[in-house]
Amino acid sequence: MNEQPLVSVIIPNYNYASTIGECIRAAKNQTYPAVEVIVADDASTDDSVAIARALDVTVLQVPVNSGVSTARNLGARHAKGEVLFFVDSDVALDPDAVERAVDHLREEPRLGAICGMYRAEPMFPDSLVKRYRAIQQYVWFCEVEGAIPGLHSALFAIKKETFLEIGEFNDRLRWTEEQDYGFRLNARYEVKAVPTIRGRHDHDGTMRVMLTKVFNRTRLGAPNWLRLNKLPGGAGTGYRALGSAFLLAAVITLVSSVLLGPWALLAAAVLTGISIGLDKRTYGYAYRHHGILFGLQFTVLHLLVTLTSAVAASIGILQGLLFPRMTQRLYRVENPA
């Protein structure tokens, strides 16, 4: 790799007019001197394209909305850089993010990709759900520092030659494209996540959108985790998966209290307590850094997310066991073994 290779910052976008300006300005305001910024717009219907063009960056457009993989692939095809830095349009990079990523790729020749992590504060802290999600993902990302089995596709750098070798993102996948790419990449290279490459993410602002994403990603990811016998880390760690199972059992026990009587209420409380204890790091961070009131609000939201994950994983695993061929065809992830 050249001493100071050109870095192409590729920003896939679909209807993120509220954040794309902040994202582009952060990408242009890097300490690293050789950067081109490419916005790959996936047929947005808002003002995203106009905002991007006003900020004097290259704007590419997908004619028909086709998903983030299509946008990322379009940006990569037109990139002139020796290094590709993919960042989602709702993430604002720290000023030294590109410089640190290039350093890692230069110092570790066999490194397939270097992934960054979100900060504990959202880009715009204008809702409780955003603040919750920022803390949740910050804690989880920090636990998977070092080699990871997957990929943090919202903020990662990869040599262009490596990207061409592995191939493009699978544009048939809408919820599990990063899992697919991460497993393919890990089959040949090491992928790392480091806390020194940071960005502020504008997390989902409503409960409905957040839970929908959690449900879909977990349901579609679970059969792949089962088939590959490998959890992705973060939310998908062994003890968190077990905690989700305990919480689901608590809800089932609570519903059955009509038949089982008051002992079921006590059992549900105990099961919920075990679930919280298994994920004590996440809860503990909220209480330590933001106080009791926020901690209680955080607890309610996190229990809802954990329960949603448990239900989604159960459905996904059943689909994988009962319809393995159909699941593999619909949600293909290449086996790195």
Side-chain angles (χ1 to χ4, degrees):
M1 195 164 71
N2 294 329
E3 188 63 27
Q4 278 197 325
L6 176 66
V7 177
S8 298
V9 176
I10 299 170
I11 305 171
N13 174 74
Y14 176 65
N15 285 351
Y16 274 95
S18 60
T19 60
I20 194 168
E22 190 76 9
C23 174
I24 292 172
R25 282 187 284 270
K28 294 180 71 174
N29 188 33
Q30 290 293 304
T31 57
Y32 189 80
V35 172
E36 68 164 353
V37 179
I38 299 173
V39 173
D41 187 76
D42 190 23
S44 290
T45 58
D46 63 4
D47 295 331
S48 298
V49 170
I51 293 170
R53 285 178 173 156
L55 291 169
D56 193 28
V57 297
T58 299
V59 179
L60 308 172
Q61 291 182 273
V62 179
V64 179
N65 180 252
S66 305
V68 68
S69 292
T70 299
R72 287 189 182 120
N73 294 338
L74 177 64
R77 287 186 213 121
H78 288 80
K80 299 175 183 176
E82 190 178 340
V83 173
L84 308 180
F85 195 122
F86 291 92
V87 58
D88 284 357
S89 55
D90 55 357
V91 177
L93 295 173
D94 281 9
D96 60 353
V98 170
E99 182 178 358
R100 290 180 180 275
V102 171
D103 287 343
H104 278 279
L105 292 175
R106 183 187 292 115
E107 293 166 3
E108 302 177 70
R110 292 299 302 168
L111 187 63
I114 188 70
C115 303
M117 302 182 184
Y118 298 146
R119 288 195 171 274
E121 307 80 23
M123 184 189 294
F124 302 118
D126 50 10
S127 81
L128 175 63
V129 174
K130 285 185 180 182
R131 294 176 64 206
Y132 157 76
R133 194 70 162 154
I135 291 170
Q136 175 210 38
Q137 295 200 350
Y138 171 78
V139 174
W140 290 359
F141 272 125
C142 286
E143 290 180 0
V144 292
E145 179 182 352
I148 58 175
L151 182 75
H152 300 165
S153 62
L155 140 108
F156 80 99
I158 182 173
K159 295 176 186 176
K160 189 171 185 179
E161 63 180 3
T162 304
F163 182 83
L164 294 175
E165 177 190 345
I166 300 301
E168 296 185 333
F169 283 91
N170 185 345
D171 57 13
R172 292 178 297 167
L173 303 177
R174 287 290 187 120
W175 295 100
T176 58
E177 78 287 336
E178 71 173 14
Q179 295 177 32
D180 171 77
Y181 203 86
F183 285 131
R184 286 157 54 195
L185 188 57
N186 268 277
R188 303 185 189 184
Y189 295 96
E190 186 175 50
V191 179
K192 287 185 176 180
V194 295
T196 53
I197 300 172
R198 292 286 195 189
R200 289 177 295 115
H201 183 210
D202 191 51
H203 296 269
D204 301 315
T206 67
M207 181 75 71
R208 180 184 64 82
V209 173
M210 177 180 66
L211 292 181
T212 298
K213 284 187 177 181
V214 169
F215 181 86
N216 285 325
R217 287 173 177 167
T218 306
R219 180 178 66 86
L220 296 179
N224 294 325
W225 307 337
L226 180 68
R227 185 165 61 87
L228 297 171
N229 194 27
K230 183 182 295 184
L231 290 169
T237 54
Y239 61 88
R240 285 203 177 95
L242 185 60
S244 297
F246 272 108
L247 186 60
L248 180 58
V251 172
I252 294 172
T253 303
L254 186 62
V255 171
S256 66
S257 63
V258 176
L259 298 175
L260 301 178
W263 286 108
L265 298 176
L266 177 60
V270 171
L271 291 169
T272 301
I274 294 173
S275 174
I276 292 173
L278 287 168
D279 198 9
K280 61 184 178 182
R281 294 178 184 173
T282 308
Y283 293 99
Y285 185 95
Y287 281 92
R288 286 195 311 274
H289 293 271
H290 297 277
I292 294 176
L293 178 59
F294 178 82
L296 292 172
Q297 295 172 319
F298 183 96
T299 298
V300 172
L301 292 176
H302 197 50
L303 287 173
L304 285 171
V305 167
T306 302
L307 180 61
T308 300
S309 298
V311 173
S314 299
I315 294 172
I317 289 171
L318 283 174
Q319 288 177 330
L321 293 173
L322 297 176
F323 311 104
R325 291 185 179 179
M326 179 170 50
T327 301
Q328 185 172 352
R329 188 166 60 251
L330 290 174
Y331 316 122
R332 178 183 62 80
V333 174
E334 296 183 4
N335 195 330

